[in-house]
């Protein structure tokens, strides 16, 4: 978590709000200090310049491009050396969310990314994350559910394996799957049948679309893949027909403002389409994506939404309840969470 934010915003309205995050990647939720410790303990050799922090966290002088942002994940892959490290990173990601008053978190993780360096078995990696997520949730008073991510620029056979393993771990907290990766250059078509199998077996589906690619990818995700939620989708407004389709189907968008700015989707935060999406009648939620890489909290994103992007406090709260409704929980769980959040918001 961003240390400054913890102290600076300790008493702000945005910090005090109870929160829901539907779009947060485990691999992007690091603590810099933990990675420094891990690098020392395990003797990970890193270039002296720039610093480790600069390799894994967006810096003020970084080019704001996908390439630069994704390079941070490449460095992070050097750290997935043991079950203990993967468990620790999972625990800390959830603890940080709880400290930021996130009451309900859907944490997505990429088993292929976590397993590759040491050739861990995908199922083992998923079990480590499930166990640690459960322990962290119990210890920190937060409800966490897990989403298994697969990348569209990687072999569909790997995605098939991950999804089969996710289906068999539904009782252990995995409730959904996510298609992520390079949507500008890789079609989602090869994943159609695999994702259908996930849905047929009771897993919900989030698809990264309309971030690196245009509105057509959003349409494809809705109509062809049956996405329950669109990850980002901030370029949907480029096509009126797709916007109308999303409104009509009640599709929910997982918007992550700072991430979109850091990856160059918008050249300035003030250009972000969040407010226009709401005004167009779309269902919108606010999330962090990669808080460790972007050096942000969800409190920061709520604050940006109101102070830079023009949302009223009422609209912000509406996005929180939209997130509850769009979460991949059971109707009873949603009802319980709604009641808890209403009480907490009233007490602020
Ligand atoms: Zn994402």
């Amino acid at each position: 978590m961003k240390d400054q934010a913890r102290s600076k915003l300790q008493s702000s309205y945005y910090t005090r709000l109870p929160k829901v995050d539907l779009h947060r990647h485990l691999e992007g939720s690091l603590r810099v200090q933990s990675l420094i410790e891990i690098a020392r303990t395990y003797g990970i050799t890193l270039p002296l310049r720039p610093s480790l922090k600069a390799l894994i966290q967006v810096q003020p002088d970084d080019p704001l491009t996908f390439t630069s942002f994704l390079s941070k994940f490449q460095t992070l892959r050097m750290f997935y050396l043991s079950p203990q490290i993967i468990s620790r990173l999972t625990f800390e990601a959830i603890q940080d969310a709880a400290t930021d008053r996130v009451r309900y978190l859907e944490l997505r993780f990429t088993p292929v990314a976590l397993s590759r360096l040491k050739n861990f078995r995908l199922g083992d990696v998923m079990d480590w994350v499930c166990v640690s997520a459960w322990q962290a949730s119990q210890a920190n008073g937060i409800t966490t559910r897990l989403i298994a991510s697969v990348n569209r620029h990687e072999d569909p056979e790997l995605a098939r394996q991950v999804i089969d393993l996710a289906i068999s771990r539904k009782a252990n907290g995995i409730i959904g799957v996510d298609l992520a990766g390079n949507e500008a250059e890789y079609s989602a078509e090869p994943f159609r049948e695999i994702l259908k199998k996930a849905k047929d077996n009771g897993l919900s589906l989030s698809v990264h679309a309309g971030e690196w690619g245009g509105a057509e990818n959003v349409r494809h995700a809705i109509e062809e893949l049956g996405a329950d939620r669109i990850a980002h989708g901030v370029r949907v407004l480029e096509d009126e027909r797709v916007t109308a389709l999303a409104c009509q189907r009640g599709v929910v968008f997982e918007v992550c403002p700072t991430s979109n700015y850091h990856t160059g989707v918008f050249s300035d935060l003030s250009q972000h389409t969040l407010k226009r999406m709401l005004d167009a009648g779309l269902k919108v939620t606010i999330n962090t994506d990669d808080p460790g890489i972007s050096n942000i909290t969800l409190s920061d994103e709520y604050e940006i939404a109101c102070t830079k992007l023009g949302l009223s406090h009422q609209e912000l709260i509406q996005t929180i309840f939209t997130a509850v409704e769009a979460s991949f929980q059971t109707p009873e769980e949603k009802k319980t969470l709604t009641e808890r959040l209403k009480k907490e918001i009233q007490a602020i």
Side-chain angles (χ1 to χ4, degrees):
M1 162 173 298
K2 190 178 177 184
D3 296 334
Q4 283 170 317
R6 208 180 274 163
S7 54
K8 187 187 82 181
L9 294 174
Q10 205 70 42
S11 61
S12 85
Y13 171 73
Y14 307 102
T15 309
R16 292 200 306 276
L17 277 176
K19 301 172 186 72
V20 175
D21 197 332
L22 301 181
H23 189 130
R24 184 179 298 221
H25 294 263
L26 168 60
E27 297 81 11
S29 301
L30 53 109
R31 287 181 193 170
V32 172
Q33 189 53 41
S34 295
L35 293 185
I36 291 171
E37 284 170 30
I38 292 166
R40 282 193 191 126
T41 307
Y42 286 79
I44 298 172
T45 313
L46 294 158
L48 288 173
R49 284 173 192 279
S51 66
L52 173 58
K53 188 172 177 177
L55 289 170
I56 57 177
Q57 207 168 58
V58 175
Q59 301 299 301
D61 55 351
D62 274 0
L64 298 178
T65 62
F66 284 117
T67 317
S68 173
F69 197 80
L70 290 181
S71 72
K72 316 290 182 191
F73 288 98
Q74 292 311 317
T75 303
L76 287 166
R77 285 193 178 199
M78 296 166 64
F79 285 80
Y80 307 135
L81 286 158
S82 72
Q84 291 75 20
I85 292 173
I86 292 169
S87 300
R88 174 179 176 175
L89 296 176
T90 304
F91 194 97
E92 291 179 353
I94 292 168
Q95 193 168 48
D96 287 348
T99 304
D100 195 27
R101 298 198 190 176
V102 174
R103 303 302 190 218
Y104 176 77
L105 172 66
E106 286 183 8
L107 185 66
R108 58 192 73 198
F109 68 108
T110 311
V112 170
L114 296 171
S115 66
R116 184 138 303 165
L117 181 64
K118 286 290 185 183
N119 248 334
F120 295 133
R121 290 184 350 181
L122 290 168
D124 288 346
V125 167
M126 293 167 86
D127 288 339
W128 302 332
V129 173
C130 287
V131 169
S132 187
W134 187 83
Q135 289 171 341
S137 301
Q138 291 296 306
N140 292 283
I142 177 173
T143 303
T144 306
R145 299 285 183 267
L146 297 166
I147 295 175
S149 287
V150 295
N151 282 322
R152 59 169 96 198
H153 56 260
E154 292 180 324
D155 186 352
E157 169 55 23
L158 284 171
R160 190 191 60 72
Q161 291 175 27
V162 167
I163 285 171
D164 282 344
L165 292 163
I167 290 168
S168 65
R169 283 163 178 76
K170 276 167 48 186
N172 301 339
I174 298 184
I175 53 167
V177 293
D178 164 40
L179 182 64
N182 183 346
E183 60 156 323
E185 294 175 301
Y186 292 83
S187 165
E189 265 310 301
F191 297 87
R192 181 198 283 259
E193 286 308 311
I194 304 164
L195 297 175
K196 183 174 183 306
K197 183 179 182 188
K199 288 205 68 165
D200 288 347
N201 283 277
L203 292 173
S204 299
L205 175 63
S206 168
V207 175
H208 280 72
E211 178 196 17
W212 312 10
E216 165 56 21
N217 284 359
V218 177
R219 186 206 63 78
H220 186 272
I222 298 170
E223 289 198 313
E224 312 295 335
L225 303 179
D228 297 293
R229 298 195 313 242
I230 301 295
H232 301 289
V234 290
R235 291 178 60 186
V236 66
L237 298 178
E238 291 172 9
D239 189 321
E240 281 177 18
R241 287 164 303 178
V242 182
T243 305
L245 172 74
C247 284
Q248 181 209 338
R249 299 272 181 98
V251 174
V252 171
F253 291 80
E254 305 160 359
V255 176
C256 311
T258 298
S259 170
N260 296 152
Y261 170 57
H262 281 167
T263 58
V265 179
F266 301 105
S267 57
D268 191 284
L269 250 181
S270 62
Q271 309 284 313
H272 199 284
T273 47
L274 173 65
K275 171 71 172 154
R276 285 200 284 135
M277 290 172 77
L278 266 180
D279 291 346
L282 294 166
K283 290 190 177 175
V284 174
T285 63
I286 300 171
N287 312 275
T288 49
D289 208 10
D290 300 296
I293 291 176
S294 287
N295 196 17
I296 53 157
T297 62
L298 188 53
S299 294
D300 292 337
E301 298 302 276
Y302 282 8
E303 185 173 9
I304 285 168
C306 291
T307 60
K308 291 207 168 85
L309 306 184
L311 266 68
S312 65
H313 283 182
Q314 195 181 358
E315 285 172 321
L316 173 64
I317 287 169
Q318 178 194 326
T319 67
I320 299 172
F321 287 106
T322 299
V324 177
E325 200 44 50
S327 68
F328 296 154
Q329 302 179 100
T330 65
E332 295 73 33
E333 288 168 333
K334 289 182 194 181
K335 194 162 171 261
T336 306
L337 180 60
T338 300
E339 277 160 19
R340 176 181 180 184
L341 294 184
K342 273 186 183 163
K343 270 189 205 148
E344 290 191 348
I345 290 169
Q346 271 168 10
I348 288 176

